[in-house]
Amino acid sequence: MKVTQIPFEATGFFSKTMLDYLGQKELIQPFYNNFPDSLGFYNQIEEKENAHSLQSRLVLAAALKKQYNGFDISDKTREHIELLKLKNTFTVTTGHQLNLFTGPLYFIYKIICAINLAEETAQKFPDKNVVPVYWMATEDHDFEEINYFNFEGKKVKWSREDGGAVGRFSTAGLKAVLDVFATQLGGSKNATYVKELFSKGYLAHNNLADATRCIANELFKEYGLVIVDGDDAALKELFIPFVKDELENQTSYQEVSKIVGKLEENYKIQVNPREINLFYLGKNSRERILYEDGVYKVNNTSIAFSKSEILRAVEKNPLDFSPNVVMRPLYQEVVLPNICYLGGGGEIAYWFELKAYFEKVNIPFPILLLRNSVQVISEKQQKKLDNLNISHEELFLKQHKLLSKKVLENTAIEIDFNEKIKYLEIHFAELKEVAKKTDVSFENAVNAQERKQVKGLENLQKRLVIAEKRRQKDLVERITALQNELLPNQSLEERQRNFSEYYVAYGGSFIKALKESLKPLDLAFTVLEL
């Protein structure tokens, strides 16, 4: 195994928002609290320790014991749940949807990053306990986003009727999905384990939340991962004051809207708040709560409440009220003694919209950490990269740029068009000085002629590249095939592949290699040669 780190920026797959954050640029500093470094963690621990109540800790620990009832819980996870009762215990958290069989690879990377960060933070602060948490997005309702995963370029899909919070979905019908998946897996020892894991998760549990807990627990229980289901009555009770505030005052809308206005001056906005950022959960539905003409209505239903009625409903049945993407982070931070949230670029970007809201409701805003991204390269693939003289950074170039670069490097024609263009620009600089002494028409003529000649050279360069690509057809095909193999659909493989592909190839050593390799606080992209 060999590990190489390259800057996130070098891949071309990360937004200006994320690159500015990693670089701690002045423009983005107002939108986050503490940065993920030693001082940031010290300050965050102090802030959270003073703000998180003992009662919240006891409720959380009791809820987790109940949620884990009937599961094969490890001693380390059990110990972590007990530690959550103590004032000097904190969490680092990642969250993800309940994708079928974990969905894309980065599900695995997120959790390992949380585990490694917890261990590293505990080492830096030996008088503190730090627990890794996976918060399951059990209340999401977009089934189309989670009902499939890809295996060796083929989609494995679960078809069923949509409706309601996905964590409550019955697992009925997943035996048929396993039957199809099993035919693709083969009969190796590792393939057998993957089939058994799928079966243990989905065929032995009645709903998607329990099935997902089972699979994540099986993969990571030895590291003490704690898995939280927010669709829990006891945990929702902790959130009652914030739900009431949202219904009465629409605080999230007011505060987030202000930040969105400032943030969008320089960055792309990920989510826009609604006037009320809550859903009402029914047996098979999750619908927006609307406020119209003094009445609270549940969208697409006949359900309606007066103000007093809906506030009583929150007290009596808090489980019926579900935060949307704007309020879910707050719910998480109310429930957990959390100091850091790890997520992908899109997730971290929408957290930047929330800081003022957290401040308004007096909840500490956590440290935000961009999780590690990983490119896995086999020994055979690395040899091909070496033979083609393609570096890890070059691998992430747009394909047309990579091909152009390599055919020009490989050509026997000794001509540097960039040098020729610079030569032209030097000579036209002299003409421009002369033009300044004449009238504007001559100056414009000089500028136009420069553009024309530079454009002519650029066109000749493109013609040369096209000709060389034809002449070097074999090289072009080899590079294209290899890059397509490593970056399926010209995208990061972590967004396309499922962990099962690598588990079949490497077994449990794949998880262990990631555990040894991922360094979340290094703030770099990881290339892992196996």
Side-chain angles (χ1 to χ4, degrees):
M1 180 180 76
K2 183 180 177 183
V3 180
T4 308
Q5 289 185 330
I6 62 176
F8 281 109
E9 186 174 9
T11 70
F13 282 104
F14 293 85
S15 68
K16 178 181 184 294
T17 310
M18 283 304 97
L19 298 179
D20 279 7
Y21 177 55
L22 296 175
Q24 301 182 66
K25 297 293 178 65
E26 189 175 346
L27 278 175
I28 204 163
Q29 287 180 9
F31 305 106
Y32 63 89
N33 187 16
N34 292 305
F35 193 75
D37 53 24
S38 294
L39 178 60
F41 276 95
Y42 176 85
N43 291 336
Q44 194 72 36
I45 286 170
E46 190 173 69
E47 188 177 351
K48 192 70 177 183
E49 190 169 27
N50 295 328
H52 204 72
S53 71
L54 174 62
Q55 179 59 26
S56 295
R57 291 176 174 278
L58 296 177
V59 170
L60 173 61
L64 286 169
K65 286 179 183 178
K66 189 174 179 182
Q67 290 182 16
Y68 270 96
N69 187 36
F71 288 86
D72 181 20
I73 186 171
S74 69
D75 289 342
K76 194 162 187 179
T77 297
R78 186 178 286 108
E79 178 191 352
H80 279 165
I81 292 173
E82 286 298 313
L83 286 173
L84 286 169
K85 298 176 183 178
L86 305 178
K87 189 179 180 183
N88 67 333
T89 299
F90 302 91
T91 63
V92 293
T93 303
T94 193
H96 199 68
Q97 295 170 298
L98 306 190
N99 293 73
L100 184 61
F101 209 43
T102 75
L105 263 169
Y106 62 77
F107 171 89
I108 303 293
Y109 303 157
K110 275 184 169 183
I111 290 178
I112 292 176
C113 282
I115 291 167
N116 285 354
L117 178 64
E119 292 177 359
E120 187 174 349
T121 308
Q123 288 172 2
K124 287 182 178 177
F125 301 94
D127 60 331
K128 311 298 181 187
N129 308 303
V130 187
V131 173
V133 167
Y134 160 44
W135 182 286
M136 296 192 293
T138 51
E139 295 177 70
D140 280 3
H141 62 274
D142 196 338
F143 184 59
E144 293 300 315
E145 288 187 3
I146 69 164
N147 69 342
Y148 71 94
F149 63 93
N150 297 315
F151 182 80
E152 295 183 345
K154 296 179 181 178
K155 184 175 282 191
V156 180
K157 187 174 179 180
W158 177 25
S159 297
R160 55 150 288 159
E161 283 189 19
D162 198 354
V166 295
R168 303 178 183 184
F169 278 13
S170 166
T171 52
L174 280 165
K175 172 66 165 62
V177 175
L178 175 58
D179 290 342
V180 173
F181 182 36
T183 63
Q184 301 175 34
L185 282 168
S188 70
K189 181 181 176 181
N190 292 338
T192 299
Y193 173 82
V194 169
K195 290 178 218 174
E196 289 173 350
L197 181 63
F198 191 104
S199 179
K200 189 171 184 178
Y202 296 109
L203 307 191
H205 295 91
N206 296 324
N207 62 61
L208 195 54
D210 285 348
T212 304
R213 180 187 298 275
C214 174
I215 290 168
N217 183 59
E218 285 297 311
L219 291 171
F220 301 110
K221 63 184 177 183
E222 68 177 284
Y223 306 116
L225 179 70
V226 172
I227 301 164
V228 179
D229 180 357
D231 191 12
D232 181 289
L235 299 183
K236 288 282 182 75
E237 283 184 15
L238 296 174
F239 201 52
I240 286 174
F242 303 92
V243 173
K244 285 184 172 182
D245 174 66
E246 180 69 7
L247 292 167
E248 291 188 274
N249 304 311
Q250 290 85 56
T251 305
S252 66
Y253 176 75
Q254 293 177 32
E255 297 302 322
V256 176
S257 294
K258 294 176 193 173
I259 294 297
V260 164
K262 296 174 183 176
L263 193 61
E264 67 183 352
E265 291 174 9
N266 297 290
Y267 302 106
K268 182 180 177 182
I269 297 302
Q270 293 294 312
V271 297
N272 283 293
R274 299 188 183 278
E275 289 187 10
I276 295 179
N277 290 289
L278 292 167
F279 288 98
Y280 189 80
L281 277 177
K283 185 177 180 181
N284 295 302
S285 65
R286 184 177 185 245
E287 295 287 351
R288 289 169 49 208
I289 297 174
L290 309 173
Y291 184 65
E292 297 175 350
D293 302 321
V295 177
Y296 294 89
K297 300 176 181 178
V298 178
N299 199 37
N300 295 321
T301 75
S302 59
I303 300 171
F305 302 90
S306 67
K307 181 179 177 180
S308 60
E309 286 171 340
I310 200 166
L311 294 178
R312 281 198 301 271
V314 173
E315 287 280 357
K316 187 177 179 182
N317 299 304
L319 201 59
D320 292 346
F321 295 84
S322 175
N324 75 354
V325 67
V326 169
M327 286 190 71
R328 187 209 57 77
L330 180 70
Y331 177 38
Q332 171 191 296
E333 297 301 312
V334 167
V335 167
L336 299 173
N338 195 49
I339 54 173
C340 180
Y341 183 78
L342 300 96
E347 287 177 281
I348 300 301
Y350 79 70
W351 276 80
F352 289 142
E353 301 175 28
L354 306 177
K355 181 171 173 257
Y357 175 39
F358 273 68
E359 291 172 347
K360 183 71 173 179
V361 295
N362 297 313
I363 296 296
F365 192 67
I367 290 172
L368 303 175
L369 181 58
L370 181 63
R371 63 167 175 83
N372 287 120
S373 283
V374 183
Q375 176 63 54
V376 179
I377 299 177
S378 69
E379 187 178 350
K380 183 178 178 182
Q381 288 167 333
Q382 185 57 50
K383 284 180 181 176
K384 288 181 180 179
L385 287 171
D386 292 340
N387 290 337
L388 293 166
N389 195 31
I390 297 174
S391 70
H392 288 156
E393 291 194 12
E394 288 174 329
L395 170 64
F396 296 98
L397 289 172
K398 297 292 184 185
Q399 193 163 90
H400 69 93
K401 289 186 177 180
L402 176 61
L403 292 172
S404 298
K405 189 172 191 293
K406 291 303 162 184
V407 298
L408 287 177
E409 285 177 5
N410 197 53
T411 185
I413 300 169
E414 295 184 6
I415 183 168
D416 186 343
F417 280 94
N418 291 328
E419 193 176 289
K420 300 291 183 189
I421 289 170
K422 284 180 184 176
Y423 180 77
L424 262 181
E425 288 172 344
I426 290 169
H427 282 273
F428 271 98
E430 294 175 9
L431 276 174
K432 286 176 184 177
E433 288 302 315
V434 173
K436 286 177 184 176
K437 299 172 184 177
T438 61
D439 64 17
V440 70
S441 62
F442 183 67
E443 192 174 354
N444 290 340
V446 170
N447 289 332
Q449 188 63 29
E450 180 186 23
R451 285 194 298 271
K452 181 179 178 182
Q453 292 198 31
V454 169
K455 187 71 174 175
L457 282 175
E458 288 172 345
N459 287 335
L460 285 174
Q461 185 177 31
K462 289 177 184 176
R463 295 282 294 272
L464 174 63
V465 169
I466 292 168
E468 281 298 293
K469 283 180 180 178
R470 283 197 297 265
R471 191 178 69 82
Q472 300 180 45
K473 183 181 176 185
D474 177 63
L475 177 68
V476 167
E477 289 177 350
R478 287 163 61 203
I479 291 173
T480 301
L482 181 58
Q483 193 187 45
N484 288 347
E485 189 178 302
L486 290 166
L487 301 177
N489 300 320
Q490 289 293 288
S491 176
L492 292 177
E493 68 160 0
E494 64 181 33
R495 300 173 186 171
Q496 305 290 322
R497 294 192 170 105
N498 180 261
F499 86 98
S500 56
E501 285 191 42
Y502 286 122
Y503 205 99
V504 169
Y506 301 105
S509 64
F510 176 60
I511 302 291
K512 287 182 169 56
L514 291 168
K515 177 73 174 59
E516 291 175 20
S517 305
L518 299 190
K519 310 290 183 188
L521 292 178
D522 285 359
L523 306 181
F525 187 99
T526 301
V527 178
L528 179 60
E529 298 173 42
L530 292 176

